[in-house]
Amino acid sequence: MTATDGANGGDGGAGRRVGDLAASSGLTVRTLHHYENIGLLVASGRTAAGHRLYTDGDVARLYRISLLRQLGLPLADIARALDEPDGSVRPTLARHLAEVERQLAAASAVRTRLLHLLAVPDGDRAEPAPDDLLHLLEEMTTMATTVSSRISILVYADLEARLHELIDVFGLGPGELVRDPDGNVVHGEVHAGDGTIWLHTESDEFGLSSPRTVGAATATTAVMVDDVDAHFRHARDHGATIVYEPTDQPYGYREYGARDAEGGLWSFMKPLA
């Protein structure tokens, strides 16, 4: 079907409407609109009433966009890759297949090793040999990174006040507050989804200072949230200093920015795709 077919199709179903494509693909209408705004996926047709109609070619392009997004490419790089002279979807299918086969091969190797370790006679409770366990660990590293977790550390002058602010205003999960024998707060923790953020005191020894002391933020802490707009309204209503309101960014996220009371810069976001 050509763009002309879609444009002349009226409401007779000669193409897929944006709502139908969103429902079928698992994306949101907002995401598809964003893709069109940045020129990544422009509907090839229109109904007589001006509604978008997506052709079969558009669906193939959306598949390639979604796959390349899952593989970690930024939207700008995806656009360049899709606009290369060879517009065939087959190279993307081949890349998809290669990644799936890699994952299957890694899982199969681990499965074979586990079956081997468990294949012992009934009643034989001998533990696996250390070398066997080491081989299993080697095979597991092909399935996942060896890095198990990460902790962000933010420096503040008033840890207790910042801990309560991050919980009450920005909705982070509560963690512990540690005091020394004199009652001074020396450590704080909050939780952001699957990550932990430590709050560290200022330290001349290590050159650590609060953004307020420095007079500038030298980094941004980005937190993924389920609903950017609802999170924004909560933070705003609880006194957060808003840097910019929820915005669809060209790199594929809806986000807003805010500062805490010591000048720390925060970004709360969700992928558009």
Side-chain angles (χ1 to χ4, degrees), residues 145-273:
T145 176
T146 56
V147 177
S148 61
S149 62
R150 84 278 187 219
I151 297 174
S152 299
I153 301 178
L154 302 179
V155 179
Y156 291 114
D158 189 339
L159 299 192
E160 186 167 9
R162 295 294 71 73
L163 182 139
H164 292 302
E165 179 187 14
L166 296 179
I167 295 170
D168 297 338
V169 178
F170 292 146
L172 301 189
E176 65 176 337
L177 196 64
V178 179
R179 301 178 186 273
D180 65 18
D182 296 326
N184 301 309
V185 177
V186 295
H187 174 80
E189 291 184 13
V190 291
H191 301 284
D194 64 343
T196 300
I197 298 175
W198 286 2
L199 308 183
H200 197 290
T201 57
E202 294 184 306
S203 169
D204 292 336
E205 179 183 0
F206 296 108
L208 299 176
S209 299
S210 162
R212 182 172 62 192
T213 301
V214 175
T218 60
T220 301
T221 302
V223 178
M224 298 295 171
V225 297
D226 292 332
D227 188 327
V228 173
D229 294 83
H231 194 279
F232 159 74
R233 290 190 293 270
H234 174 88
R236 178 199 58 195
D237 294 346
H238 285 74
T241 299
I242 303 300
V243 178
Y244 54 92
E245 297 189 358
T247 305
D248 291 346
Q249 302 290 0
Y251 41 85
Y253 288 83
R254 182 166 181 79
E255 68 176 76
Y256 79 93
R259 292 189 186 276
D260 58 47
E262 291 192 32
L265 186 59
W266 294 76
S267 178
F268 297 94
M269 57 175 62
K270 181 178 182 179
L272 287 167

Side-chain angles (χ1 to χ4, degrees), residues 17-266:
R17 291 173 178 266
V18 65
D20 296 332
L21 184 61
S24 299
S25 65
L27 302 174
T28 64
V29 171
R30 180 193 293 275
T31 296
L32 294 175
H33 286 174
H34 176 67
Y35 284 175
E36 178 153 323
N37 290 337
I38 63 175
L40 188 59
L41 179 67
V42 178
S44 296
R46 296 278 175 173
T47 68
H51 300 297
R52 296 173 178 83
L53 284 175
Y54 292 87
T55 65
D56 292 344
D58 295 333
V59 172
R61 185 176 175 91
L62 179 59
Y63 162 76
R64 297 172 68 194
I65 292 170
S66 298
L67 174 61
L68 294 173
R69 191 80 173 114
Q70 289 180 23
L71 295 177
L73 270 68
L75 292 181
D77 291 346
I78 292 174
R80 284 191 289 269
L82 295 182
D83 291 336
E84 291 178 352
D86 181 6
S88 171
V89 74
R90 294 186 64 83
T92 307
L93 288 168
R95 183 184 297 188
H96 193 175
L97 177 60
E99 175 62 18
V100 170
E101 287 181 339
R102 185 198 68 78
Q103 295 174 3
L104 288 174
S108 177
V110 172
R111 179 178 182 273
T112 299
R113 181 68 59 180
L114 290 169
L115 289 172
H116 171 74
L117 294 178
L118 291 171
V120 294
D122 290 342
D124 187 350
R125 296 183 176 274
E127 292 296 315
D131 285 348
D132 288 332
L133 294 178
L134 289 175
H135 286 310
L136 177 60
L137 288 173
E138 287 177 353
E139 287 158 355
M140 289 168 60
T141 60
T142 66
M143 296 180 61
T145 176
T146 56
V147 177
S148 61
S149 62
R150 84 278 187 219
I151 297 174
S152 299
I153 301 178
L154 302 179
V155 179
Y156 291 114
D158 189 339
L159 299 192
E160 186 167 9
R162 295 294 71 73
L163 182 139
H164 292 302
E165 179 187 14
L166 296 179
I167 295 170
D168 297 338
V169 178
F170 292 146
L172 301 189
E176 65 176 337
L177 196 64
V178 179
R179 301 178 186 273
D180 65 18
D182 296 326
N184 301 309
V185 177
V186 295
H187 174 80
E189 291 184 13
V190 291
H191 301 284
D194 64 343
T196 300
I197 298 175
W198 286 2
L199 308 183
H200 197 290
T201 57
E202 294 184 306
S203 169
D204 292 336
E205 179 183 0
F206 296 108
L208 299 176
S209 299
S210 162
R212 182 172 62 192
T213 301
V214 175
T218 60
T220 301
T221 302
V223 178
M224 298 295 171
V225 297
D226 292 332
D227 188 327
V228 173
D229 294 83
H231 194 279
F232 159 74
R233 290 190 293 270
H234 174 88
R236 178 199 58 195
D237 294 346
H238 285 74
T241 299
I242 303 300
V243 178
Y244 54 92
E245 297 189 358
T247 305
D248 291 346
Q249 302 290 0
Y251 41 85
Y253 288 83
R254 182 166 181 79
E255 68 176 76
Y256 79 93
R259 292 189 186 276
D260 58 47
E262 291 192 32
L265 186 59
W266 294 76

